[in-house]
Amino acid sequence: MCYLMRGPWSICLAVYAVLLLQTVAASDDNADAKISVRTVVDQIEAGDYRGSNTLHKLGPAAVPAMIEWADDKNDMVRAIITQTLYEMRDERAIPVFVRRLDDSMEGTRGISMHALSVYPIENVKSHLSAEMLDSLSKYARRFEERSYRAVLLIGDLGDNSKAGDLRALLSKAKTLELSGAEKDKVPAGGGAEDRMKAAKAPAVKEACLKVLLKMGDREAEGEVVRALREADVSGRVFAVEAVQYAGKDTLVTELLPLLNDGRKVMRVSKSADDFYFLTVRDKAINAIAEVGRISPPFEIG
């Protein structure tokens, strides 16, 4: 036995002992973190939210416990844990954000959508499922502050299975969209929810057109081309951005006439005393360079 301990076996046993100690230590850390999370959850349920600041300090070891409590029946527990998981930027929480898109609290739904839209797209793709696409589609139909982001995320994920849902959503957005004097009026027979939907409809409509254009929808392409050819500045800017988002190189020729459009569309500030304006032409140059994969004669900020 002593002879064995002097050779390679002694090294193996030593390594095994170290790994065992690390496993036990990690297990203890996870157990302590779970107790700490439970303590904070109890405080939140009692109406004391001060302990929520300690969740950040627990670190990655507490993420599994927070994920477990992220579906709690208490509204504030779900809200605070969802916010904390978003701020920790831990990929393990992505399924939580998908589930919370259907939360009863708008704020929790909103932060979940925001979290999904700021994660690297490849990280989100690794969790792609039919359930996830359904959740995004359902959230988009709510016409909330970040509903348009759900549409764009569907496009970014590169799954065309929701094209039919997006066409239906586009039609709904068009019926809700108000213009001119109508913007300050409540839709006939409607209330606060109708006002909210009407206010969010333009952003959702534009997002749907961008994604459908990327998916090869002919009607969406026709609408984008018409917007490029019309004189309205905001319509042209949207159409340029749609071509750029969709990477539609077949529409680059439609952007060329815009190189004569010097109308200002955006003020960009470098500092309080130093700023410049972007024009329709600038936006078109950027889109041509990106979609056509060519280098512009100068850089647009």
Side-chain angles (χ1 to χ4, degrees), residues 197-219:
K197 288 184 177 181
K200 310 306 178 190
V204 173
K205 183 190 78 172
E206 292 183 357
C208 285
L209 284 171
K210 287 180 179 179
V211 175
L212 286 170
L213 179 64
K214 186 176 182 179
M215 291 179 174
D217 186 89
R218 300 297 297 176
E219 291 184 17

Side-chain angles (χ1 to χ4, degrees), residues 26-193:
S27 177
D28 289 343
D29 289 344
N30 290 338
D32 290 343
K34 189 168 186 177
I35 293 171
S36 298
V37 172
R38 177 56 195 261
T39 300
V40 173
V41 167
D42 289 342
Q43 291 174 343
I44 295 172
E45 289 179 339
D48 182 0
Y49 308 139
R50 290 172 297 178
S52 61
N53 294 328
T54 64
L55 290 176
H56 293 274
K57 301 175 183 177
L58 296 175
V63 170
M66 283 191 275
I67 289 175
E68 182 179 336
W69 289 102
D71 298 329
D72 190 73
K73 63 181 180 180
N74 185 285
D75 290 342
M76 289 306 299
V77 170
R78 295 195 310 275
I80 291 173
I81 288 183
T82 302
Q83 175 73 34
T84 304
L85 287 171
Y86 157 65
E87 293 171 357
M88 293 180 73
R89 295 292 201 278
D90 194 305
E91 185 182 342
R92 290 175 291 177
I94 289 177
V96 170
F97 301 132
V98 175
R99 295 196 300 273
R100 296 276 58 82
L101 290 178
D102 196 32
D103 198 271
S104 60
M105 292 184 68
E106 182 179 349
T108 304
R109 295 195 300 268
I111 195 61
S112 297
M113 186 63 249
H114 184 64
L116 289 170
S117 63
V118 299
Y119 268 95
I121 190 64
E122 291 306 318
N123 291 5
V124 178
K125 274 186 177 181
S126 67
H127 297 273
L128 181 62
S129 65
E131 177 191 5
M132 181 178 187
L133 289 171
D134 286 343
S135 297
L136 287 169
S137 181
K138 185 175 180 179
Y139 181 81
R141 292 196 296 271
R142 289 180 178 272
F143 289 91
E144 293 183 352
E145 185 68 32
R146 295 184 173 93
S147 287
Y148 76 96
R149 290 190 178 184
V151 177
L152 294 176
L153 185 53
I154 290 172
D156 292 341
L157 290 170
D159 190 317
N160 291 6
S161 64
K162 288 299 176 184
D165 289 352
L166 293 180
R167 291 189 190 98
L169 181 61
L170 175 60
S171 297
K172 179 66 174 178
K174 288 179 179 178
T175 63
L176 291 172
E177 190 176 24
L178 302 177
S179 60
E182 293 179 312
K183 289 184 178 180
D184 296 325
K185 297 179 181 178
V186 180
E193 184 178 355

